[in-house]
Amino acid sequence: MRISVFGCGYLGAVHAACMTRLGHEVVGVDVVADQVASLNRGAAPFFEPGLPELLSEGLATGRLTFTTDAAEAAGCDVHFVCVGTPQKAGENAADLRYVHAAIDDLLPLLRAGDVVVGKSTVPVGTAEALAERLDEGASGAELIWNPEFLREGFAVKDTLHPDRFVYGARSNEQGERAKRRLDEVYAVALGEGTPKIEADLATAQLVKVAANSFLATKISFINAMAELCEATGADVTLLADAIGHDARIGRRFLNAGVGFGGGCLPKDIRAFMARAGELGVDQALTFLREVDSINMRRRVRMVDLAREECGGSIVGRRIALLGAAFKPDSDDVRDSPALSVAAQMQLQGAHVVVTDPQAIDNARKKWPDLAFADTVEEAVKAAELVVVLTEWPEYVGLDPRQLAERVDAKRVIDGRNCLDPTAWRDAGWTYRALGRP
Ligand code: UDX
């Protein structure tokens, strides 16, 4: 099939490359010329395992191209909308300007029977408004809502082999036809038996924010337990293991630490609360305010713990921070807990040095005043405290004996509960972590 993908960021670039792998002919459209040029060279503009290979493969077939000219999407049968929906400045609500701009671009190109597929995360009610715009434009095209659940770091796998498909459509003939078209796009994964839920537009939009709210709640739940553990001398990692054995609870997403960040969970729960307010059901989501607060408190607690470890003050102390990305296998620093902690420590007078295997360039753009080091060895030189804030495998595997030779004081704080406390203590380090004695 001939497919267009509007928006070639974390979601759209991966989606475009994966659709080519499935045998389709794909044109990716984005307004950022540098990004388009980079994608056309086969260079992913961000770090995502497997994406460069997939881009090169797709470009070599001649079935994958990227452009800034929306008109090149003319003649495609299916148009995916994958643009960003960031948090509005100074507000909790989502900024929908890029979604509407994509529809503006599409309207003159659409033909009867074409399908517009919304994948961006939007406040419920947006899809209905976009469907109306397509009707008013007499395009004859049908809108279908098909949320994306990909995780950064696993985006290629999550796109090619998702754990489920959700289609939201209007219950009429066009809606039905649009769904069957989308079945053709996803024929390979559907053939593998991937479950599919067909729903109305509102449900499909809600599924995405409900899923992200649940995941955020799970993380904040365990971080709230970490606060209890800190007050009682209990160990949150053992607690998570123990409750995680109950299949109804499950161990995944119960890793306590410095909390969640990234381009999705924080902004999605806030936009969801804002939308609930508009719908007059704000009480239904007041718990998400608490989820957000617990998450933010972990960052403050981390700075407090560093202060305790440094004997009551971090002023003038040399602190090495391992990790800037919001999670491993990503160079994304949007709302990164690691960078938030780094900035707070620096503002409170510490001499911080930040390192990360992939995210230094992005981190420097965001916080140019922070000091950065390319390697762990450089970052920890003469450090009086080492803090692990992103659980990159190379940090988890660090040899505490080797590292001990480079630092001024053998103090480590494990902000992700990812190190082996015994190994570090045996090597002479003072080991501290969130939620553990
Ligand atoms: C998330 C959802 O998982 C994905 O389904 C959705 O499509 C987009 O948002 P992503 O933002 O890539 O994906 O990251 P995710 O793996 O969910 O992690 C989010 C944050 O939670 C990270 O900062 C991570 O470090 C943190 N986290 C995760 C924890 O603190 N503890 C955990 O147990 C799990």
Side-chain angles (χ1 to χ4, degrees), residues 270-286 289:
R270 291 173 194 153
F272 200 14
M273 283 186 270
R275 186 65 185 132
E278 290 167 3
L279 293 166
V281 286
D282 43 332
Q283 274 191 333
L285 297 186
T286 42
R289 206 175 306 150

Side-chain angles (χ1 to χ4, degrees), residues 17 24 51 78 108 117 150 158 168 188 217 233 250 289 304 323 334 338 340 358 362 366-367 386 410:
H24 304 299
L51 181 58
V78 178
V117 187
L150 64 79
D158 285 351
V188 175
T217 303
R289 206 175 306 150
D304 289 344
R334 286 177 294 171
S340 161
Q358 294 293 340
N362 285 342
K366 196 139 197 167
W367 293 98
V386 175
K410 287 184 271 179

Side-chain angles (χ1 to χ4, degrees), residues 148-153 158 164 208 212 215 219 222-223 251-265 268 326-328 337 391 416:
E148 182 58 58
F149 305 101
L150 64 79
R151 300 158 298 168
E152 289 178 29
D158 285 351
R164 80 287 210 190
K208 173 66 195 239
N212 277 355
L215 294 172
I219 299 168
I222 201 65
N223 281 330
R251 180 62 177 81
R252 294 177 73 191
F253 267 69
L254 279 185
N255 294 322
V258 78
F260 61 80
C264 292
L265 299 192
D268 286 354
F326 83 106
K327 69 172 193 179
E391 68 278 34
R416 291 288 183 183

Side-chain angles (χ1 to χ4, degrees), residues 174-196:
Q174 293 99 297
E176 204 51 43
R177 262 207 310 270
K179 288 191 278 188
R180 301 298 70 86
R181 268 258 153 117
L182 201 53
D183 283 345
E184 288 176 52
V185 174
Y186 295 139
V188 175
L190 288 169
E192 291 169 355
T194 307
K196 180 178 67 175

